[in-house]
Amino acid sequence: MKSEQMPDSLQNSVDDDQVVSVLLGFLQYNEEIPDSRQFSAEHNFDHNQVVSVIQSLLGFRYIEAQDLVWETCVLTDEGKRYATQGSPEVQLFLAVPEEGSISLVDLKEKLGDSFQNFAIGYAKKNKWVEVQANQVSRKVQHVEDKLKELLLKIQEGKELHEDGIKFINERKKNLTESRNWKGYSSIKKGPRYAPKRKNLSTTLTRGNVEIWEELEFKEYNINAKGVPPESGHLQPLLKVRKQFKDIFVQMGFEEMPTNNYVESSFWNFDALFQPQQHPARDSHDTFFLKAPSTTRTLPEDYVERVKRVHESGGYGSRGYNYDWKREEANKNVLRTHTTAVSSRMLYEIAKKPFAPKKYFSIDRVFRNEAVDRTHLAEFHQIEGLICDRGLTLGDLIGVLKVFYSRLGISKLRFKPAYNPYTEPSMEIMSYHEGLGVWVEIGNSGMFRPEMLRPMGLPEDVQVIAWGLSLERPTMILYGIDNIRDLFGHKVDLDLIKRNPICRIGF
Ligand code: PHE
């Protein structure tokens, strides 16, 4: 057991430049400095300071050195207390009067906070005191505080004999602990060694631009870590949302207004040609509102056309052949997808003379789901749509390839799928390099005429659209495997602070 820390009082306070010049000066005439500890002791420098100077000189390649790690023994808080106040058994012994005896109760009171139950055990075992009928009296008049002496030795960094180590280790409480230190050995001249450190320039300024040829510039240290900012940490979902938003904006998309979590079943389902018996419209899958339980207004003539297309079709469709109920359409829900936002938007643009449009939205949706590692009852959806004359499935595939390639995802596959409002529909799959499997990363399709024509969009206008969750790509990007660690009251704020401020690439 040996401590390498020097008591502070012995060290001079010197600035780093002095340490640098002594160290470089030493290497001018000597092959190497074998050990940073020995060097610090000989020059009366603080070892921590020498270590930080060596690190900086290594960075500039003035010197070369080997890492050195060693372990020392230091006192725990309890050990430190005994080293200053004495061991509990000696304190107890001193509190017992030289003559006569003291009751255990009085002894406890006299010692106050420094009373320890086990101290009586030690004092009895050492034959210092005896206890009879709860009265404590001395058996000897003088005792030595061996424990205190040993602890003081450790504190001063002195070496203990084997029996001393054994004595301390036999105590039940941990009075010492090991600590790792870092230093350097075999410190030698490096490839850019100079006996004196030059003041390297870091920036080209108006003042030094004319003499730039005479200046020597500091090399970039691309491994240097920046100072972590104290505040302004964005939630990962917000960061990824911004990335998606930027991609949409760069591709010429406009954002749709998403500022209503409460939506009528009409816009969320009926306008999307989703039949009223569809299982998604069950309270097991959807949150229905108690108050207000129904919507106040719907565009009547459009409602009429939606009813008709559900009941008997039109525009080349046979419809669903059931009795469409207005009460069902009036029911308020928490929107289950952002396609509800798209249906409102398309209805709005159908009122005006047709012009091609590209729209996107990113906002929260709600589903009455059992919560588990990958599902929450509320999450975010990203949705994009393009409406134009003569669009085809090829256009949809092309746009999706561009969209996902901007995220750095290039291997895509499309799988036939079903949505009540799109035909054809495709699941979007991407190859996950890390997992080595194809994973679903979105859903897409061409909106059906049964949805578009009742809105009043011209016959030759097609709408291609796709949607995906924001949580899933964020979890992949940030290596989070439980959605509850990303969103909700269990999120660890430290995780948000530790995440990189930005990432290059996706
Ligand atoms: N609304 C679909 C969903 O919730 C996504 C989607 C959007 C599918 C647009 C096709 C077209 O998964």
Side-chain angles (χ1 to χ4, degrees):
M1 286 197 202
K2 192 168 183 336
S3 163
E4 305 295 342
Q5 281 309 75
M6 280 212 290
D8 293 339
S9 55
L10 293 179
Q11 287 155 4
N12 291 329
S13 130
V14 291
D15 63 26
D16 284 1
D17 284 344
Q18 264 170 285
V19 180
V20 168
S21 66
V22 172
L23 197 149
L24 292 178
F26 186 91
L27 286 180
Q28 193 172 8
Y29 302 107
N30 299 279
E31 179 75 12
E32 70 163 18
I33 297 170
D35 190 317
S36 57
R37 291 172 288 184
Q38 184 200 342
F39 176 81
S40 308
E42 278 168 10
H43 294 88
N44 219 1
F45 292 146
D46 168 23
H47 186 248
N48 289 335
Q49 187 179 15
V50 170
V51 165
S52 97
V53 162
I54 290 174
Q55 279 164 346
S56 134
L57 291 174
L58 281 171
F60 288 110
R61 299 165 73 203
Y62 273 91
I63 57 170
E64 283 170 353
Q66 303 293 320
D67 286 340
L68 193 64
V69 178
W70 70 98
E71 205 181 84
T72 65
C73 178
V74 294
L75 298 187
T76 59
D77 284 347
E78 186 148 18
K80 282 185 202 152
R81 209 163 49 239
Y82 296 179
T84 45
Q85 296 169 3
S87 64
E89 57 268 29
V90 169
Q91 289 190 65
L92 179 128
F93 173 82
L94 295 175
V96 178
E98 284 176 24
E99 305 278 328
S101 62
I102 181 168
S103 75
L104 266 176
V105 180
D106 290 345
L107 190 60
K108 267 190 197 173
E109 200 179 329
K110 196 164 167 190
L111 283 166
D113 282 349
S114 33
F115 177 80
Q116 303 262 24
N117 259 330
F118 63 78
I120 302 181
Y122 281 116
K124 270 167 53 179
K125 197 173 128 215
N126 294 345
K127 303 202 165 58
W128 294 349
V129 299
E130 60 184 358
V131 187
Q132 270 173 346
N134 279 335
Q135 288 287 321
V136 191
S137 56
R138 285 193 182 184
K139 285 177 84 177
V140 292
Q141 283 310 332
H142 184 73
V143 299
E144 268 176 34
D145 201 342
K146 188 172 168 194
L147 182 63
K148 177 175 169 166
E149 269 172 47
L150 290 171
L151 293 174
L152 281 172
K153 269 192 171 177
I154 294 174
Q155 208 166 37
E156 285 161 19
K158 292 194 186 126
E159 216 146 332
L160 297 192
H161 289 301
E162 219 169 288
D163 55 342
I165 298 173
K166 209 171 139 218
F167 184 83
I168 288 185
N169 287 346
E170 273 169 5
R171 305 281 301 202
K172 285 222 176 64
K173 300 250 169 144
N174 279 340
L175 301 177
T176 60
E177 60 194 359
S178 57
R179 184 174 295 172
N180 287 329
W181 302 95
K182 195 174 175 308
Y184 290 95
S185 67
S186 185
I187 303 152
K188 296 183 180 150
K189 286 179 189 149
R192 313 195 78 184
Y193 173 81
K196 284 214 163 60
R197 183 158 67 174
K198 286 182 216 119
N199 280 331
L200 297 178
S201 305
T202 49
T203 42
L204 201 55
T205 62
R206 203 200 285 230
N208 70 16
V209 67
E210 282 179 14
I211 53 158
W212 72 271
E213 272 172 312
E214 295 156 33
L215 300 175
E216 209 171 316
F217 285 90
K218 188 174 166 183
E219 268 181 47
Y220 275 116
N221 177 5
I222 53 163
N223 294 317
K225 293 202 169 74
V227 183
E230 290 296 314
S231 61
H233 304 277
L234 288 180
Q235 225 280 354
L237 283 173
L238 291 179
K239 290 195 250 194
V240 177
R241 185 180 73 169
K242 169 87 165 64
Q243 272 178 286
F244 276 104
K245 193 168 171 166
D246 286 347
I247 292 172
F248 276 120
V249 171
Q250 284 157 13
M251 289 174 73
F253 283 66
E254 287 170 58
E255 191 163 9
M256 295 184 269
T258 53
N259 53 342
N260 59 308
Y261 291 166
V262 174
E263 186 55 280
S264 62
S265 291
F266 179 78
W267 290 110
N268 194 81
F269 297 121
D270 297 282
L272 293 164
F273 197 51
Q274 188 138 334
Q276 294 187 324
Q277 310 77 18
H278 194 280
R281 302 180 66 152
D282 198 277
S283 61
H284 292 295
D285 289 308
T286 299
F287 291 112
F288 287 85
L289 253 74
K290 277 196 184 141
S293 62
T294 54
T295 183
R296 266 186 234 117
T297 51
L298 290 176
E300 293 307 328
D301 54 339
Y302 173 51
V303 170
E304 207 38 55
R305 294 196 295 273
V306 168
K307 173 182 157 79
R308 215 176 314 132
V309 79
H310 277 243
E311 289 187 337
S312 53
Y315 326 102
S317 168
R318 293 198 300 191
Y320 290 123
N321 285 309
Y322 71 97
D323 278 337
W324 185 87
K325 292 202 179 63
R326 176 65 183 256
E327 306 84 76
E328 218 33 69
N330 282 347
K331 286 183 185 167
N332 276 334
V333 299
L334 291 179
R335 72 171 170 231
T336 64
H337 53 181
T338 44
T339 315
V341 172
S342 306
S343 67
R344 272 184 185 269
M345 199 70 207
L346 287 168
Y347 172 74
E348 283 309 312
I349 63 171
K351 287 185 193 162
K352 296 176 219 146
F354 181 75
K357 283 283 182 192
K358 294 193 262 189
Y359 285 118
F360 78 97
S361 70
I362 308 174
D363 208 346
R364 200 171 293 191
V365 298
F366 306 83
R367 289 189 193 168
N368 195 356
E369 300 223 49
V371 171
D372 64 24
R373 331 179 45 81
T374 52
H375 294 89
L376 287 180
E378 50 188 302
F379 59 100
H380 298 81
Q381 276 192 336
I382 304 164
E383 180 140 335
L385 70 87
I386 302 176
C387 46
D388 203 349
R389 295 199 149 90
L391 289 175
T392 64
L393 194 66
D395 292 306
L396 176 58
I397 291 174
V399 169
L400 290 174
K401 282 192 172 157
V402 174
F403 175 79
Y404 283 98
S405 75
R406 294 200 176 198
L407 295 170
I409 299 171
S410 52
K411 278 192 199 162
L412 287 189
R413 267 188 195 166
F414 302 99
K415 191 173 145 187
Y418 171 76
N419 297 307
Y421 37 90
T422 53
E423 183 57 36
S425 312
M426 303 187 300
E427 235 173 52
I428 309 159
M429 317 281 292
S430 128
Y431 188 72
H432 193 293
E433 300 288 346
L435 301 175
V437 287
W438 289 87
V439 291
E440 194 207 319
I441 51 162
N443 185 358
S444 67
M446 301 187 68
F447 283 139
R448 296 183 77 107
E450 291 96 324
M451 167 181 164
L452 301 180
R453 301 294 311 284
M455 291 175 170
L457 283 167
E459 211 173 321
D460 57 348
V461 168
Q462 272 82 33
V463 180
I464 55 179
W466 70 101
L468 61 148
S469 95
L470 176 62
E471 279 75 3
R472 190 161 183 157
T474 308
M475 283 169 75
I476 295 174
L477 283 174
Y478 285 84
I480 297 171
D481 64 359
N482 189 334
I483 196 164
R484 288 165 283 196
D485 294 336
L486 176 66
F487 189 50
H489 63 284
K490 287 195 182 150
V491 172
D492 172 8
L493 284 180
D494 260 355
L495 178 129
I496 293 171
K497 289 185 187 161
R498 280 197 314 270
N499 278 323
I501 294 182
C502 70
R503 46 180 69 244
I504 299 169
F506 202 68

